[in-house]
Structure formats: C-alpha cells, structure tokens
Amino acid sequence: MTVAKEQALRAVRTVSRTVGRLTAGSRMTPGFLIVGAQRCGTTSLFKTLSQHPGVLPPAYHKGVHYFDMDYQRGMSWYLGHFPTTAKGEAVREQLGVRGITGESSPFYMFHPLAGQRITEDLPGVKLLVLLRDPVERAYSAHSHELARGYETESSFERALELEGERTAGERERMTADPTYLSYHLQHNAYLARGRYIEQLERLETLVGRERLHVIDSDDFFADPRPAFDAVCDFLELPRRADIAFGKHNSRSRSPMSAELRARLEEHFAPYDERLATWWGRVPSWRR
C-alpha cells in the first residue's frame, strides 16, 4: 500500500469513528470477543465467523483493542466501531435470530486489566479462546514480531533468554498505572503467553466458566466443521453449511532445533497438565 493510500484510508477511518462515536447509542453491543491466544488462529476464526449471516463484524479491522490499548477513549468510541442495532434487527427478519457483533483482539486474554474491564463494560459478553501448542505459538510469535519490527533479536533462543529481564515488573506497572502500555509484555512475552491455564483461570474468576468457550486450534484446522458448529452453538447462532474454511495470517519459518523444543516442552509440561485438568480434555499437542 502506498503512503498516499494509507493516509487516505486513515482519514476515512477517522471520519467513520467520529460518526460512530456520535451515534454510539444506536450501535450494537458486542456479543462475543475472541480474546486470544495470539498466534493461535484468531484471525482465521474471525474471518470464518464473519461469513455467517448472523455475525456483523466491526468496520475496517477485526480487532478494536479497546480493552487493552485504547480504554481511555471511552465506551462511546468503542461502540462507534460496530454496526447499528437496526442492522442487527434486519438479521432477525432473515434468520429468525437477532444478529450479533464482536471483535478479535488476542491481547485481551493476557493483558492484566482487560478481563476486569470487559466484565464491567460488557457483562453478558461471551469469550472465545483458541489454544495451540505453546512451543509452536512462542516460535510463531517471535517470527511475527520480528517481521513487524517489534523484536530486535533475530535469534529465538536469545529472545527467550531476555524475556524475564524485559518483562520484569511490567504487569505490576500496568496495574498501578492503567494508562501505562508495556511494549515488552505485548510483543516479547513468548513463554508467559503460552502458560494458558494462568490466563484461563483468571478469566473464569471474572466472567464464569459458562461464558468461556475454548477451541483447540489444531483440531479446528484439521477438522473445522465440528469445531465451528460448536462455536455457533455457543453463540446461539444457527449452524450453516455454506461456510468456507481457511488458514489466515500464517508465517513460514525454519525448523526449531530438537534440543530447544525439548526444553520448551519441559517448561510447559506442568502448565499443560493443569490445563488438561481444567479443560477436561488432553490438548492436541500432548496426545
């Protein structure tokens, strides 16, 4: 995209958000959020859900990042991203159920304040979580952040060594100062983001288990139909036979060394064991 086109698109978005803020009272409230985990297929699930005629996505992009990065902008700004309630009612005439809207911001699950904010501002919202092998997730995240310029260490192993130093005290700083944005916690927490059970237990405490739906990403990509049907059931949407499945936002990378993989699998083993107990199933990467 050229600089001129990018500037023009940014101007259109600014105007749209201003109009949206002024009409927030007539906007739909999100019925679902895809809250994580990063690099686990959140883009693919969102694009798949957006094909459903009962789902009305936000304008321009899948993730609004209100509850993590832009909370100071206020709820009117947030609601301004979503379709009008009239569009939601129009869906009811077509499908027999009211349309729902939602977004996908995979930092929400890991952010220390986002869960509480979601609970307070969207008391009935349903949360979707995708999980994949945390070793692969970490490696994928490093490649992703490196390509985007948010990671300076080309060596994955060196980035892992620096994680503790980079992220030390960052959660505490964010909790003490809600306006503080932690660069390293957002972009360089490769191991911490893969300790899924810690994040799920925190979310369960805040929103309750019945409003959490966890999807095994490997199962979703291997056999998407039953996994997607379960998502539709969770969101109280009619199942659809006309949904096309695909994999989006993936990146190619060189193989990881067997020695490093073994060390990381050992690191995640106790967390995966707790996850299996909480989830009531063995995750695909531990079968």
Side-chain angles (χ1 to χ4, degrees), residues 19-270:
V19 172
R21 185 187 295 112
L22 294 174
T23 59
S26 63
R27 299 279 168 169
M28 296 175 67
T29 300
F32 74 89
L33 299 175
I34 302 175
V35 296
Q38 180 207 39
R39 307 305 297 165
C40 288
T42 57
T43 298
S44 297
L45 178 61
F46 182 81
K47 287 182 178 293
T48 304
L49 261 176
S50 296
Q51 296 176 51
H52 196 295
V55 176
L56 302 172
Y60 300 113
H61 46 75
K62 71 183 182 77
V64 181
H65 287 284
Y66 172 64
F67 294 105
D68 50 17
M69 308 300 293
D70 285 309
Y71 196 63
Q72 75 285 352
R73 292 180 181 268
M75 197 65 175
S76 292
W77 177 88
Y78 181 56
L79 293 178
H81 290 78
F82 298 100
T84 62
T85 54
K87 289 184 177 180
E89 288 300 327
V91 170
R92 189 195 302 275
E93 297 179 11
Q94 176 188 358
L95 294 182
V97 296
R98 188 176 184 273
I100 64 170
T101 191
E103 53 132 338
S104 174
S105 296
F107 192 28
Y108 286 169
M109 186 167 87
F110 187 63
H111 191 284
L113 301 177
Q116 184 64 45
R117 292 167 174 173
I118 291 168
T119 301
E120 293 173 356
D121 293 347
L122 300 176
V125 75
K126 296 182 177 182
L127 306 184
L128 294 166
V129 176
L130 292 103
L131 305 179
R132 70 186 287 199
D133 179 351
V135 177
E136 286 296 324
R137 194 223 68 82
Y139 197 29
S140 175
H142 175 261
S143 298
H144 184 66
E145 301 296 353
L146 188 66
R148 297 169 69 209
Y150 295 124
E151 175 56 78
T152 57
E153 297 292 337
S154 59
S155 165
F156 176 49
E157 196 159 4
R158 178 56 179 159
L160 293 178
E161 291 172 356
L162 290 173
E163 179 174 337
E165 175 186 330
R166 284 169 159 179
T167 62
E170 290 295 272
R171 297 186 72 85
E172 292 77 11
R173 291 186 186 96
M174 295 175 80
T175 302
D177 179 6
T179 65
Y180 176 70
L181 302 178
S182 173
Y183 180 94
H184 289 307
L185 207 64
Q186 182 179 5
H187 298 292
N188 311 127
Y190 305 111
L191 296 179
R193 282 204 186 211
R195 297 195 282 266
Y196 303 131
I197 186 60
E198 298 175 341
Q199 300 159 66
L200 288 168
E201 287 177 340
R202 184 169 67 248
L203 284 177
E204 181 183 20
T205 299
L206 291 168
V207 306
R209 184 67 173 270
E210 69 283 354
R211 283 168 50 205
L212 274 172
H213 184 72
V214 183
I215 305 149
D216 190 305
S217 295
D218 289 338
D219 290 345
F220 175 63
F221 288 119
D223 189 12
R225 174 60 61 186
F228 186 71
D229 283 348
V231 169
C232 289
D233 293 346
F234 175 67
L235 297 179
E236 300 179 79
L237 291 169
R239 296 183 179 187
R240 301 283 298 193
D242 57 348
I243 300 295
F245 300 102
K247 195 169 186 177
H248 304 272
N249 206 26
S250 60
R251 293 183 183 274
S252 60
R253 54 191 183 277
S254 58
M256 189 188 311
S257 73
E259 185 273 334
L260 178 56
R261 178 179 293 279
R263 279 199 286 122
L264 293 180
E265 287 178 349
E266 182 179 1
H267 169 83
F268 286 117

